[in-house]
Amino acid sequence: MMPEHAVQAYAELDGSVFQGRMLHILPSKEKKTEETDAGDEASYKKKKQAKDKALSGSSHNWNALFIGANAVADAMAEKYNTSKSDVLDPESANSLAVRMALGETQIVSETRQFLVDNQVSLDAFSQAAAERSKTVILVKNLPAGTKQEEIRQVFSKNGQLGRVLLPQAGVTAIVEFLEQNEAKLAFRRLAYTKFQHVPLYLEWAPVGVFTTPAAEHKETKLNLEQTSNDNEVTKEEDQMEVSDESDDEPGPGCTLFVKNLNFETTEETLKEKFSTCGPLRNVSISKKKDIKHPGQFLSMGYGFVEYKRPDDAQNAMKVLQHCTVDEHQLELKLSNRATVQVKPKSAKKKQVSKKQKTTKILVRNLPFEATRKEIQELFSVFGEIKTIRLPKKAAGTGTHRGFGFVDFMTKPDAKRAFNALCHSTHLYGRRLVLEWADTDDDSIEALRKKTAAHFHDGGPAKKFKKSTIMDDLLKAGEKDD
């Protein structure tokens, strides 16, 4: 039961003889817990979670109105007072994929109306590449039926909250912080963490998401702070400014490139030397793998010292230039390492909306599993349909090519379907992308004209081999002779 008993048994019984055989006792290894870091020996799931958490601040995979399929089913069951199994019944008359798509569309529509009623600008969500806020966080992938108090309880542990909006479906929330550093802290801590039984998907909201500022919340906070004297308030504000500077992204002129380091110099020694000029944010020495000693690293003779303020970096340039550390004279330069960062390019482009000229809608990103009947069932909810055309692959065989045209009888019906399905409607897990089709752009006559113009009028010029051209020139020369 006690560790000392195990040590005593190991010392006394290792190598002893038992029933004619010598016992060899080995100490056991401690069982790995779930808190093990996602290193080389971690499972694939833990590595993926660590990678997702590290990239949670990138905007390449954000979808502001994302709703999980499970949450859609729960919300539909609660709204229509039925069971979840009835909602997901695959043997019903209607298609399950269409049923889930229409349910998601209704939840998104109700969510948008709720946001409008609470002074949220929907135009801020229309541009995927818009500038992002530093204090407002979108909380997605919530279980259906989540309460506003539960969201406040989770996020208030990281700082003072402003407005917290949660629509009736309870699957997406907007959380506003009063301070930028507290919002960043909450984003880092809570991104992809488990809430009830699902992970939280966090995204920075677009700038200008609220049409009115949180003035009333700030006034409340200031009234609470007026109970202390003026000196204490000034000291707290100074501390908040320092913490804001330490948590914000480094600005230009804060990082020094340190050259001619001794290979034995450590980061602690460098930090002790440069901290005399001001508070540091980070000190790092570039290293490479040691081939002779696997698992160890060798210094490359240079490093980077990052200050919290650019004035301190300028002061260090003057004071510590050519100073001696471990018998090596250092050379200092200003570095732009912290300001030049490669950000992943977003696959989303700014949306350029077309004006409605016809009753025809171009539907892109259609799943190949979707049939004409399912598309008819999905769009016929909004009005009477004239035609549905799904261009097929070569020679008209096989499935469709992943896009189609839906033509309504009247323009109001087409506009109603477009406004309902263009925001965030998924069919078989793929988000439908809707555009207004050009007039007669998909007709057979138009396609024939485009094909004829390509091959006869402005088609690509025929390319000749170099040897063929030389032969033609030689033949022409022989004729001249």
Side-chain angles (χ1 to χ4, degrees):
M1 296 296 292
M2 305 300 293
E4 54 269 20
H5 297 162
V7 174
Q8 183 180 358
Y10 176 79
E12 294 182 359
L13 299 179
D14 186 26
S16 62
V17 178
F18 179 72
Q19 295 183 358
R21 292 181 177 270
M22 185 176 68
L23 299 179
H24 182 43
I25 303 175
L26 296 175
S28 63
K29 295 182 180 180
E30 184 179 0
K31 183 179 180 181
K32 294 183 179 181
T33 60
E34 295 181 356
E35 299 178 356
T36 305
D37 292 336
D40 296 336
E41 299 180 357
S43 64
Y44 170 78
K45 184 177 180 180
K46 293 179 181 179
K47 287 183 180 180
K48 189 176 185 304
Q49 288 177 350
K51 183 179 179 180
D52 291 341
K53 190 174 182 66
L55 296 177
S56 58
S58 302
S59 61
H60 66 281
N61 57 352
W62 286 350
N63 178 11
L65 295 175
F66 170 80
I67 301 176
N70 189 53
V72 171
D74 290 334
M76 291 175 62
E78 182 178 358
K79 183 178 182 62
Y80 296 105
N81 195 20
T82 184
S83 62
K84 187 176 179 181
S85 59
D86 293 337
V87 175
L88 300 177
D89 185 11
E91 298 180 356
S92 61
N94 299 328
S95 171
L96 174 59
V98 174
R99 192 159 59 248
M100 294 295 293
L102 292 175
E104 180 186 12
T105 302
Q106 184 177 6
I107 294 175
V108 170
S109 177
E110 294 175 354
T111 301
R112 290 173 61 85
Q113 186 60 43
F114 173 84
L115 296 178
V116 170
D117 296 340
N118 287 271
Q119 291 78 44
V120 175
S121 175
L122 294 181
D123 293 337
F125 293 96
S126 61
Q127 297 297 338
E131 185 181 356
R132 297 287 167 159
S133 172
K134 295 182 179 179
T135 56
V136 184
I137 300 175
L138 300 180
V139 187
K140 301 171 292 183
N141 200 38
L142 295 172
T146 303
K147 303 300 182 183
Q148 187 178 20
E149 292 75 13
E150 298 176 345
I151 300 297
R152 279 192 173 274
Q153 184 178 2
V154 172
F155 282 84
S156 61
K157 298 177 182 178
N158 300 282
Q160 183 74 19
L161 298 182
R163 286 165 284 191
V164 177
L165 301 182
L166 185 66
Q168 184 178 3
V171 293
T172 302
I174 300 179
V175 178
E176 180 187 31
F177 281 86
L178 299 182
E179 301 295 338
Q180 293 185 13
N181 59 333
E182 295 175 351
K184 291 183 178 180
L185 180 63
F187 195 99
R188 287 197 303 267
R189 286 182 176 178
L190 299 177
Y192 287 95
T193 57
K194 184 173 289 188
F195 176 77
Q196 295 183 12
H197 60 278
V198 294
L200 288 180
Y201 295 165
L202 302 186
E203 172 186 343
W204 290 111
V207 171
V209 64
F210 286 111
T211 57
T212 57
E216 61 275 11
H217 301 283
K218 291 185 178 180
E219 291 176 359
T220 304
K221 185 179 179 182
L222 291 175
N223 291 333
L224 294 175
E225 292 179 350
Q226 287 178 356
T227 55
S228 59
N229 55 43
D230 296 337
N231 294 332
E232 292 178 349
V233 172
T234 304
K235 186 181 295 184
E236 289 176 0
E237 291 177 351
D238 293 339
Q239 291 177 355
M240 290 177 64
E241 290 178 0
V242 172
S243 62
D244 288 344
E245 292 177 358
S246 63
D247 287 336
D248 287 344
E249 296 180 358
C254 294
T255 306
L256 297 179
F257 173 65
V258 185
K259 190 179 177 182
N260 197 32
L261 285 173
N262 191 323
F263 294 120
E264 303 298 330
T265 301
T266 61
E267 294 178 350
E268 288 74 15
T269 305
L270 209 60
K271 185 176 183 180
E272 182 180 356
K273 183 70 175 179
F274 282 83
S275 61
T276 56
C277 295
L280 299 174
R281 187 191 302 272
N282 184 36
V283 175
S284 62
I285 295 178
S286 299
K287 298 178 182 180
K288 62 180 179 180
K289 293 183 179 180
D290 189 354
I291 301 177
K292 297 182 179 180
H293 303 87
Q296 298 183 7
F297 297 89
L298 296 175
S299 171
M300 298 179 67
Y302 64 90
F304 298 89
V305 177
E306 186 180 343
Y307 284 90
K308 294 182 178 180
R309 295 185 293 267
D311 296 340
D312 296 335
Q314 294 288 346
N315 185 31
M317 281 278 294
K318 299 176 182 178
V319 176
L320 301 178
Q321 185 68 269
H322 302 301
C323 68
T324 302
V325 176
D326 293 338
E327 301 180 356
H328 276 235
Q329 195 175 52
L330 305 184
E331 299 179 15
L332 306 180
K333 293 182 181 179
L334 280 177
S335 172
N336 61 349
R337 180 193 184 196
T339 57
V340 179
Q341 298 178 353
V342 179
K343 297 183 179 180
K345 294 183 179 180
S346 175
K348 302 177 181 178
K349 299 181 180 180
K350 286 193 174 183
Q351 301 173 355
V352 179
S353 58
K354 296 182 180 180
K355 292 184 178 180
Q356 181 184 6
K357 296 181 179 179
T358 63
T359 58
K360 189 177 299 182
I361 300 175
L362 170 61
V363 186
R364 299 184 185 272
N365 202 34
L366 280 175
F368 297 110
E369 303 91 336
T371 62
R372 179 187 296 270
K373 180 180 178 182
E374 289 177 328
I375 297 174
Q376 170 87 19
E377 184 179 346
L378 176 61
F379 282 86
S380 62
V381 176
F382 306 97
E384 187 176 356
I385 296 176
K386 184 191 301 181
T387 58
I388 294 179
R389 198 173 75 85
L390 300 178
K392 294 187 177 181
K393 296 182 179 179
T397 60
T399 59
H400 56 80
R401 298 169 58 186
F403 67 93
F405 298 89
V406 180
D407 194 1
F408 283 85
M409 294 294 294
T410 62
K411 285 186 177 181
D413 292 343
K415 186 176 182 179
R416 191 182 307 112
F418 187 93
N419 293 337
L421 300 175
C422 69
H423 301 296
S424 181
T425 298
H426 293 74
L427 186 64
Y428 285 107
R430 301 188 68 172
R431 181 179 178 180
L432 300 182
V433 180
L434 273 61
E435 299 177 8
W436 290 112
D438 295 333
T439 307
D440 295 333
D441 196 34
D442 67 317
S443 63
I444 298 177
E445 291 77 9
L447 294 176
R448 285 175 178 172
K449 289 181 181 180
K450 287 184 178 180
T451 305
H454 177 75
F455 284 100
H456 297 291
D457 298 337
K462 185 178 180 181
K463 294 183 180 179
F464 297 94
K465 292 184 178 180
K466 186 176 180 181
S467 59
T468 306
I469 297 174
M470 293 301 296
D471 293 338
D472 294 339
L473 292 175
L474 291 173
K475 292 179 181 178
E478 291 176 356
K479 290 181 180 180
D480 294 338
D481 294 340

